């Protein structure tokens, strides 16, 4: 735990010193949300803006956390700093934990910016509990993204190798997780694939929360599934993060 | 006690054999050089000893510990300086050293960081980000990172490759100071003049040890071309490189018989260049 905090602190320090990367990871989502607003403004008045906008905001955080963590960890590997961390005495679990802590900080900031901007631009109004649960959902989703990034980085020899994981891991979430269409309208095999994608459960929570009333059991069940993803990915990532060739 | 002992070490990557049955021992407190061309297996050997490469067969012990099975006990006692600097470019030298020091839970870390910064002569640049450093300066930061927990054995993978002669000479002064303090240094290099500064040298080629000896004894295996000119007559001959062989040959040209050895040690080009730099007023 102590070592994870040391690594998390270092990741945050690096991100704060790399003003370009830090700026882009905040400004990038900010601009995308504005594009979303322009798109929604062009829709007919009865278009359900919240049904698409809020999950899309969550997807942006999901996407950026995955890409950033994956690329930075591949860079650690190619620069030799990952190997050096192992030799210096950091364990695999400490390294993964450190990355989660580090990116948790960034994801919290991203979630605040993205959610705040979406609600402000689209003039959406929710109660305190709903807002808190939306925020928790996005942050939990970003932790899943960090784990996926760590996992993807173990199969990559350089940063460019992370790119093929975008169509493999990220893009299917748009079509199969209920972001654009109800998963029940999909062919059975596609629905099954969608059930494997963590974004589906984040979307389930968001759709439940933005309705006029929400069923707490549905929200907590899906939050529990996201927590399960975090645990499962933590175990898989700690096994695939190779210490010795 | 030997700091390092290796028996029958083999490492293969598929059909490619990187190490082919290495046997060697390194006494404590020595500077041990592994010399060989690129691809000889030097880095693989070092990585096996620090526990990030799993050997295909054979055994390796560092301070009598297995690099893989006793990794937690071992990593407290070894330092590793990789071939590339392996530093966080946006962080300062001090931050990099502190970060790796925290991995070992070094007591009085701030004080220790200041000490290694002073030892590696980085005081004036300690708070600057690494991306503003030259290659040689980065190597020094990397060395400081390897030294922060005062390791008993230090593995240095080509520590002065692509470093200017002045900094290289200074680095070797630091290495010698560490060895005098009891640290064992295991250094890989492809620079032969650097190998001459080690206490013992192993010549590695294509994953096999060709020779283990002191640099002096390796030099003695060479030949000396001796040219003696007397009354416009030049006599050229090739003799053994030992001081005794040179004296014996010169006896034929009138060197008194009571002189039993002759040694000529001209400055190297590097030494001459360094001297010129030193003489230049700052």
């Amino acid at each position: 735990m102590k070592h994870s905090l040391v690594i998390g602190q270092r990741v945050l320090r690096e991100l704060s010193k790399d003003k370009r990367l830090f700026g882009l990871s905040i400004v990038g989502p900010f601009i995308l949300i504005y594009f979303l607003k322009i798109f929604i403004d062009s829709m007919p008045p009865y278009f359900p803006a919240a049904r698409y906008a809020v999950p899309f905001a969550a997807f942006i955080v999901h996407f950026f956390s995955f890409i950033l963590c994956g690329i930075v960890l591949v860079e650690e590997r190619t620069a030799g700093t990952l190997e050096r961390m192992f030799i210096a005495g950091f364990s695999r679990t400490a390294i993964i934990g450190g990355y989660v802590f580090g990116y948790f900080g960034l994801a919290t900031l991203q979630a605040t910016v993205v959610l705040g901007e979406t609600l402000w631009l689209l003039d959406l109004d929710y109660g305190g509990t709903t807002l808190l649960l939306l925020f928790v959902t996005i942050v939990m989703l970003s932790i899943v993204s960090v784990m996926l990034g760590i996992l993807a980085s173990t199969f990559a020899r350089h940063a460019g190798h992370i790119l093929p994981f975008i169509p493999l891991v990220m893009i299917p979430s748009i079509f199969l997780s209920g972001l654009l269409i109800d998963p029940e309208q999909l062919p059975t095999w596609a629905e099954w694939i969608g059930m494997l994608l963590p974004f589906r459960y984040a979307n389930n929570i968001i759709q439940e929360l933005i309705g006029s009333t929400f069923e707490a059991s549905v929200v907590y069940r899906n939050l529990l599934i996201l927590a399960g993803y975090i645990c499962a990915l933590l175990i898989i990532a700690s096994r695939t993060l190779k210490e010795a060739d | 006690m030997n700091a390092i002992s290796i028996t029958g070490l083999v490492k293969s990557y598929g059909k490619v054999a990187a190490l082919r049955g290495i046997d060697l021992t390194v006494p404590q407190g020595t500077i041990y050089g592994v010399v060989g061309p690129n691809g000889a297996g030097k880095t693989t050997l070092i990585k096996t000893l620090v526990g990030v490469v799993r050997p295909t067969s054979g055994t390796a012990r560092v301070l009598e510990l297995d690099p893989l099975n006793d990794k937690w006990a071992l990593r407290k006692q070894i330092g590793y300086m990789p071939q590339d600097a392996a530093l966080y470019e946006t962080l300062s030298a001090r931050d990099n050293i502190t970060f790796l020091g925290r991995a070992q839970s070094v007591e009085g870390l701030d004080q220790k960081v200041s000490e290694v910064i002073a030892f590696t002569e980085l005081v004036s640049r300690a708070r600057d980000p690494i991306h503003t450093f030259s290659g040689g300066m980065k190597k020094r930061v990397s060395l400081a990172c390897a030294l922060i927990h005062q390791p008993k054995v230090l593995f240095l993978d080509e520590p002065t490759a692509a470093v200017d002669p002045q900094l290289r000479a200074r680095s070797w002064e630091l290495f010698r100071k560490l060895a005098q303090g009891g640290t064992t240094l295991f250094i890989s290099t492809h620079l032969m003049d650097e190998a001459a500064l080690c206490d013992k040298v192993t010549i590695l080629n294509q994953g096999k040890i060709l020779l283990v000896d002191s640099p002096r004894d390796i030099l003695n295996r060479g030949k000396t071309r001796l040219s003696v000119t007397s009354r416009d007559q030049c006599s050229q001959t090739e003799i053994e490189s030992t001081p005794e062989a040179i004296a014996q040959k010169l006896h034929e040209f009138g060197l008194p018989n009571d002189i039993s050895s002759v040694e000529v040690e001209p400055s190297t080009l590097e030494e001459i260049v360094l001297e010129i730099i030193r003489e230049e007023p700052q």
Side-chain angles (χ1 to χ4, degrees):
Chain A
M1 185 69 169
K2 195 177 129 199
H3 276 173
S4 289
L5 287 172
V6 168
I7 296 168
Q9 204 179 16
R10 193 220 77 216
V11 169
L12 278 176
R13 193 176 265 247
E14 263 192 294
L15 283 170
S16 67
K17 300 258 177 182
D18 193 342
K19 292 193 170 53
R20 202 173 303 171
L21 183 72
F22 186 72
L24 281 173
S25 51
I26 299 297
V27 173
F30 190 86
I31 293 170
L32 285 175
I33 293 294
Y34 187 70
F35 289 162
L36 179 73
K37 185 226 174 340
I38 294 172
F39 168 75
I40 286 173
D41 282 351
S42 68
M43 290 284 122
Y46 51 83
F47 181 77
R51 189 247 173 270
Y52 294 101
V54 182
F56 186 75
F59 180 77
I60 288 173
V61 177
H62 181 43
F63 184 84
F64 271 81
S65 300
F66 167 77
I67 295 290
L68 268 177
C69 183
I71 289 176
V72 171
L73 206 58
V74 172
E75 277 182 0
E76 284 250 24
R77 198 185 299 279
T78 50
T81 46
L82 184 65
E83 190 175 80
R84 195 162 201 172
M85 274 203 277
F86 280 130
I87 296 167
F90 287 116
S91 68
R92 279 186 295 189
T93 324
I95 293 171
I96 293 167
Y99 267 82
V100 171
F101 279 134
Y103 282 95
F104 177 77
L106 182 68
T108 306
L109 192 60
Q110 272 182 337
T112 310
V113 168
V114 161
L115 196 60
E117 191 193 1
T118 307
L119 299 178
W120 174 58
L121 286 180
L122 299 175
D123 204 15
L124 300 171
D125 193 17
Y126 299 113
T129 314
T130 306
L131 277 179
L132 179 71
L133 286 168
L134 279 173
F135 185 75
V136 168
T137 305
I138 296 177
V139 170
M140 278 181 77
L141 182 66
S142 76
I143 297 174
V144 173
S145 322
V146 170
M147 298 290 190
L148 285 171
I150 293 170
L151 202 59
S153 76
T154 60
F155 300 101
R157 286 198 182 274
H158 57 79
H161 283 169
I162 290 293
L163 299 180
F165 284 94
I166 297 173
L168 270 174
V169 181
M170 291 286 124
I171 306 292
S173 292
I174 298 176
F175 303 111
L176 307 179
S177 296
L179 178 64
L180 296 179
I181 47 162
D182 190 340
E184 284 171 14
Q185 292 174 12
L186 294 167
T188 314
W189 62 268
E191 200 186 343
W192 276 93
I193 293 175
M195 286 170 83
L196 294 173
L197 301 168
F199 187 72
R200 176 179 173 135
Y201 304 97
N203 186 56
N204 286 349
I205 301 167
I206 293 166
Q207 298 302 346
E208 186 66 25
L209 287 171
I210 60 175
S212 48
T213 54
F214 69 83
E215 189 84 45
S217 63
V218 175
V219 172
Y220 294 131
R221 190 176 63 237
N222 282 286
L223 276 175
L224 210 63
I225 295 173
L226 279 182
Y229 262 96
I230 292 172
C231 295
L233 287 169
L234 179 69
I235 294 166
I236 298 169
S238 67
R239 284 181 186 276
T240 51
L241 192 69
K242 271 206 269 179
E243 192 174 335
D245 273 335
Chain B
M1 189 176 89
N2 285 320
I4 300 167
S5 52
I6 302 172
T7 318
L9 198 71
V10 173
K11 176 64 190 176
S12 302
Y13 295 99
K15 287 179 182 168
V16 180
L19 299 174
R20 298 190 288 168
I22 303 288
D23 296 289
L24 63 85
T25 53
V26 179
Q28 273 188 349
T30 53
I31 300 183
Y32 197 96
V34 180
V35 186
N38 291 334
K42 305 185 295 290
T43 299
T44 307
L45 179 60
I46 287 186
K47 287 191 175 185
T48 307
L49 294 172
V50 297
V52 290
V53 165
R54 195 178 295 278
T56 308
S57 63
T59 57
R61 294 284 179 274
V62 180
L63 300 169
E64 298 188 336
L65 296 166
D66 183 308
L68 286 169
N69 297 327
D70 308 315
K71 63 182 174 189
W72 300 117
L74 181 64
R75 286 173 181 176
K76 285 183 171 46
Q77 303 180 68
I78 59 167
Y80 169 60
M81 179 181 166
Q83 211 172 97
D84 298 320
L87 299 166
Y88 299 100
E89 295 276 327
T90 52
L91 301 185
S92 69
R94 197 177 182 93
D95 285 344
N96 270 279
I97 303 164
T98 305
F99 172 64
L100 290 169
R102 283 184 173 175
Q104 300 285 0
S105 306
V106 174
E107 282 184 28
L109 184 60
D110 275 353
Q111 176 63 26
K112 293 269 168 57
V113 171
S114 299
E115 281 169 21
V116 289
I117 283 173
F119 183 75
T120 48
E121 297 173 349
L122 288 162
V123 178
S124 61
R125 302 287 310 273
R127 296 199 184 271
D128 294 344
I130 295 297
H131 65 81
T132 63
F133 283 27
S134 67
M137 291 282 285
K138 285 181 185 177
K139 291 261 182 187
R140 266 199 267 174
V141 180
S142 186
L143 176 64
C145 290
L147 291 174
I148 184 63
H149 57 297
Q150 294 170 306
K152 289 181 184 161
V153 182
L154 194 55
F155 294 94
L156 308 171
D157 195 358
E158 308 218 354
T160 57
V163 165
D164 67 67
Q166 215 172 353
L167 191 56
R168 187 184 304 166
R170 185 67 197 113
S171 298
W172 272 92
E173 281 171 28
L174 294 181
F175 299 160
R176 188 49 70 188
K177 214 187 271 186
L178 286 166
Q180 281 162 357
T183 309
T184 307
L185 284 90
F186 192 86
I187 300 176
S188 82
T189 181
H190 61 263
L191 306 169
M192 300 304 157
D193 53 345
E194 203 166 76
L197 301 167
C198 298
D199 298 322
K200 205 157 205 183
V201 169
T202 280
I203 300 175
L204 195 67
N205 191 36
Q206 294 183 339
K208 273 181 87 170
I209 289 180
L210 303 182
L211 180 75
V212 181
D213 222 330
S214 67
R216 159 71 57 188
D217 288 340
I218 293 173
L219 281 170
N220 286 346
R221 286 167 178 259
K223 297 282 180 199
T224 296
R225 278 172 294 281
L226 190 69
S227 301
V228 180
T229 306
S230 169
R231 294 187 191 96
D232 294 337
Q233 286 249 308
C234 182
S235 159
Q236 285 189 331
T237 182
E238 209 173 62
I239 56 168
E240 276 182 31
S241 285
T242 61
E244 294 75 20
I246 298 170
Q248 204 176 357
K249 189 69 193 171
L250 290 176
H251 290 153
E252 295 172 19
F253 296 92
L255 184 76
N257 282 336
D258 58 330
I259 296 175
S260 57
S261 82
V262 174
E263 208 168 344
V264 183
E265 218 174 297
S267 299
T268 62
L269 185 60
E270 187 171 309
E271 284 169 335
I272 297 165
V273 171
L274 283 175
E275 193 55 38
I276 293 167
I277 293 169
R278 260 195 293 271
E279 282 169 6
E280 177 73 17
Q282 295 295 308

